[in-house]
Amino acid sequence: MSARVEFFFDLSSPWTCLAFHNLPGVLERVGAAAVYRPILVGGVFNAVNPAVYAAREQSDNRRLQHSWKVLKDWAQLAGVPMNFPSQYHPAKSVQAMRFATALEADQAALVRFARAAFASYFDRQENLDDPDVLEAVATAEGLDGAAIRAAASSDEVKARLRANTEEVVALGGYGSPTIFIDGTDMYFGNDQLPLVEAALKRQTQRTPR
């Protein structure tokens, strides 16, 4: 029995974009699969990590400034376009994450939409919070953009997104992406994917064949 991997994510995070592209290689190497769980990272920050906002206001924050270089280095290593930041940074992601949540029950469609939405924001520098842009992104992927847009505004989808966000906070998460193995073993960010892979390998070795 393979491990249960959950990937809680928000489309506005560049580190999440990198992790999203790097995770499939990890999963393939260890023979695992992931369930992708949309969240609203702003809700997470408001609940447990408000220091993020203060750091953004510090123009002389050396760690933040260096992080932009590290981000570009990681992007080059992963072969992921990273035309960032844009005029829309920091992005409001409510609309995008409602679109994603509307697709959560269809994981294949969600992955297709997320990959295209990441390219829209981090490569083409389009507005992640514009429903017209999001609908066009979905439609270009062969999905029913208009139907997804309509579903995204439903109370059911809004409640689901809130519930996902509250769940990751309750489990100890503090940002995006947050990755859980079997519900309790938590990892954060693209940089920790080697640790995710190591944990999954250990579990595979312990599992009787």
Side-chain angles (χ1 to χ4, degrees):
M1 182 176 175
S2 61
R4 178 165 56 94
V5 180
E6 293 173 285
F7 185 85
F8 288 86
F9 73 103
D10 185 301
L11 289 162
S12 68
S13 162
W15 296 104
T16 302
C17 176
L18 291 175
F20 176 87
H21 282 85
N22 287 326
L23 180 63
V26 171
L27 298 174
E28 182 177 358
R29 287 190 293 273
V30 299
V35 175
Y36 294 84
R37 306 284 304 278
I39 61 170
L40 194 58
V41 76
V44 176
F45 292 158
N46 290 339
V48 294
N49 196 9
V52 169
Y53 300 124
R56 288 175 180 171
E57 297 299 323
Q58 299 170 5
S59 59
D60 60 345
N61 186 316
R62 291 187 180 186
R63 181 176 181 179
L64 183 62
Q65 290 171 357
H66 183 244
S67 73
W68 298 131
K69 174 196 179 295
V70 176
L71 175 68
K72 297 295 177 65
D73 289 344
W74 268 109
Q76 184 177 30
L77 183 64
V80 177
M82 189 56 64
N83 190 14
F84 180 82
S86 73
Q87 62 177 314
Y88 300 110
H89 172 74
K92 294 180 179 179
S93 58
V94 175
Q95 297 295 336
M97 298 320 299
R98 287 176 179 170
F99 268 64
T101 304
L103 292 169
E104 186 174 2
D106 185 344
Q107 287 281 300
L110 172 57
V111 168
R112 285 165 56 195
F113 171 75
R115 184 180 297 112
F118 279 130
S120 170
Y121 184 52
F122 293 108
D123 187 6
R124 301 192 300 274
Q125 295 194 335
E126 296 171 342
N127 186 356
L128 195 65
D129 201 47
D130 185 338
D132 290 338
V133 170
L134 297 167
E135 181 178 339
V137 165
T139 300
E141 284 298 304
L143 303 171
D144 190 338
I148 298 167
R149 181 174 184 169
S153 64
S154 70
D155 290 340
E156 179 182 358
V157 163
K158 293 176 183 178
R160 176 69 176 178
L161 180 57
R162 284 194 300 271
N164 284 356
T165 303
E166 291 168 358
E167 181 179 349
V168 77
V169 169
L171 289 170
Y174 51 88
S176 172
T178 302
I179 303 164
F180 286 95
I181 298 175
D182 288 338
T184 57
D185 190 11
M186 187 178 84
Y187 299 86
F188 173 74
N190 177 73
D191 295 11
Q192 292 186 12
L193 285 180
L195 301 179
V196 171
E197 182 167 359
L200 290 171
K201 285 180 178 177
R202 286 195 302 271
Q203 185 170 98
T204 299
Q205 292 167 358
R206 290 195 304 264
T207 302
R209 295 183 180 277

